[in-house]
Amino acid sequence: MKLSTTLNLYSLLESSHSPERMIEAVKVCSSLGYEDIDVYLKGVIHLPPKELEEWITRMERAIRQCGVSVSQCHLYFGKVERDSLEEYENKVVKSFEIADRMGIGWGVIHPIDYRGLYGVSTEESIRLNVAYFRRLQEKVKPKTTGLAFENIMGCDFASADVLIAICDEACKYGKAGVCWDTGHANLSEGVDQAESIRALGNRLKCLHAHDNHGRFDEHLLPMMGTVDWRKLIAALREIGYEGDFVYESAQPTKHLPEDDLLRKEFIKYSVKLGKYMLENF
C-alpha cells in the first residue's frame, strides 16, 4: 500500500476548496513525502468551461512533473433532496467525466438513500442505486474510471452487506467497487471494521482513512481518535487489498495560519505517522 492523501490536507482553508490551491497542493504534498494523491473534484465542477479546461491541463501537468500517481478521487457529493435528484446526478456525471478524462482508476460516490427519501425497503433502495449506477455508466461511457460506493453512517449504507449487494449487481453493468470510510464506520453502531473489510474482500478498491471519537465526523488523522488501526490494517493485509492507504483527514489543518509553516509541519508529521503504521502494524 502506498500512503496517499486527499489534496485538501493542504488546500482546505476554513470551508474553502480553491481549485487553484489544489494544484499547489500536488506540489506541496509530493515535496513532503506523498507518492500518491486523491483529487477532490467537487470543487471544480462549477468552473466555467474555459477555466475548467485550463485547470485540468495545469493539474495534469503538476501531477506529471511531481511524479505522483492518482489512484482514486472523490466525485461530487452533497445533500440529496427529492426535488433535485436530476440536478444532483448531473453534477456527479460532470465530475465522473473529469475523472475519466484524467485517467483516474476509481471515483468514489455516495450511494443515494432512497429509503430515507421515499420510505422504500432496503431491497428497493439497493435496486434503485444499481439503476443510478447504470445511468452514470450510460451517460459517461467511461474508458478508465470505475465507481466505488462509500459506506455512509446513519442509513442502510453503513453495512458492508448492503454495499456488497449493490457492488455485485452493479458489476454487471460496469467497473464497480467499494470505498471503506473508516471515520463513517466508527460512527456506525454495531459495525466491526475489520470484519467488514474481510467481508468486502476484493470488492474493496478505495479507502478514506480518518479518525474520530465515535460522536462526530471529525476527519482526524489516525490514532487521534478511537479507531483500532492495528486491527484495521491487519484486515487490509489479510484480504490482499491492492489500493492505497488514503487519508481524508483535512479538518486539523483547515484553521492553521496561511503562512503554511504549521500546515507543512503537520503534513510532514502525517507522512511519518502513515509510514510508521504501514511498516509496523
Side-chain angles (χ1 to χ4, degrees), residues 91-158:
K91 291 177 180 178
V92 175
V93 165
K94 187 167 185 179
S95 61
F96 190 6
E97 290 172 338
I98 295 168
D100 193 58
R101 176 174 169 180
M102 294 177 70
I104 300 172
W106 291 98
V108 176
I109 59 170
H110 290 189
I112 295 176
D113 183 15
Y114 289 103
R115 189 161 75 91
L117 286 175
Y118 299 114
V120 300
S121 67
T122 298
E123 291 72 20
E124 179 66 2
S125 185
I126 290 170
R127 188 192 70 77
L128 289 169
N129 269 283
V130 173
Y132 167 53
F133 176 88
R134 289 187 69 179
R135 289 195 301 275
L136 296 177
Q137 297 297 313
E138 289 165 1
K139 290 178 179 180
V140 176
K141 297 179 174 59
K143 296 181 176 64
T144 303
T145 307
L147 297 179
F149 289 94
E150 180 177 351
N151 58 310
I152 306 294
M153 63 282 192
C155 63
D156 288 334
F157 310 112

Side-chain angles (χ1 to χ4, degrees), residues 178-238:
V178 171
C179 172
W180 190 253
D181 186 297
T182 63
H184 292 175
N186 202 44
L187 294 169
S188 301
E189 187 176 352
V191 170
D192 183 311
Q193 299 219 49
E195 286 302 314
S196 296
I197 287 169
R198 292 187 187 99
L200 290 169
N202 63 8
R203 301 175 186 86
L204 183 61
K205 305 300 182 182
C206 303
L207 196 67
H208 284 168
H210 57 103
D211 215 330
N212 59 58
H213 294 87
R215 297 187 300 275
F216 307 105
D217 197 18
E218 297 171 273
H219 286 265
L220 304 174
L221 280 178
M223 303 184 74
M224 291 184 172
T226 57
V227 172
D228 190 329
W229 292 97
R230 288 185 182 274
K231 289 183 178 178
L232 192 150
I233 292 173
L236 291 172
R237 297 195 192 287
E238 187 176 324

Side-chain angles (χ1 to χ4, degrees), residues 14 27 50 113 136 166 176 197 201 235:
E14 302 291 340
K27 303 171 186 177
K50 183 178 179 181
D113 183 15
L136 296 177
I166 294 173
I197 287 169

Side-chain angles (χ1 to χ4, degrees), residues 10-186:
Y10 176 80
S11 65
L12 180 63
L13 295 176
E14 302 291 340
S15 296
S16 172
H17 291 278
S18 162
E20 182 69 27
R21 195 167 169 87
M22 277 195 283
I23 294 172
E24 182 65 20
V26 178
K27 303 171 186 177
V28 171
C29 290
S30 64
S31 71
L32 297 177
Y34 283 100
E35 301 174 67
D36 185 89
I37 55 169
D38 177 311
V39 181
Y40 184 83
L41 291 175
K42 181 179 180 179
V44 303
I45 67 164
H46 300 294
L47 290 174
K50 183 178 179 181
E51 291 181 29
L52 177 59
E53 288 296 315
E54 292 173 352
W55 183 87
I56 292 172
T57 298
R58 293 177 61 215
M59 175 60 80
E60 289 182 323
R61 183 186 303 126
I63 290 167
R64 186 171 59 252
Q65 289 176 344
C66 292
V68 292
S69 55
V70 187
S71 57
Q72 65 184 61
C73 66
H74 209 314
L75 301 186
Y76 181 83
F77 68 97
K79 187 175 181 180
V80 182
E81 304 285 358
R82 291 178 64 168
D83 59 355
S84 59
L85 272 173
E86 184 176 357
E87 179 185 354
Y88 180 88
E89 191 170 305
N90 287 338
K91 291 177 180 178
V92 175
V93 165
K94 187 167 185 179
S95 61
F96 190 6
E97 290 172 338
I98 295 168
D100 193 58
R101 176 174 169 180
M102 294 177 70
I104 300 172
W106 291 98
V108 176
I109 59 170
H110 290 189
I112 295 176
D113 183 15
Y114 289 103
R115 189 161 75 91
L117 286 175
Y118 299 114
V120 300
S121 67
T122 298
E123 291 72 20
E124 179 66 2
S125 185
I126 290 170
R127 188 192 70 77
L128 289 169
N129 269 283
V130 173
Y132 167 53
F133 176 88
R134 289 187 69 179
R135 289 195 301 275
L136 296 177
Q137 297 297 313
E138 289 165 1
K139 290 178 179 180
V140 176
K141 297 179 174 59
K143 296 181 176 64
T144 303
T145 307
L147 297 179
F149 289 94
E150 180 177 351
N151 58 310
I152 306 294
M153 63 282 192
C155 63
D156 288 334
F157 310 112
S159 163
D161 291 343
V162 174
L163 294 171
I164 288 168
I166 294 173
C167 180
D168 287 353
E169 189 64 24
C171 279
K172 298 175 183 177
Y173 309 105
K175 183 180 171 183
V178 171
C179 172
W180 190 253
D181 186 297
T182 63
H184 292 175
N186 202 44

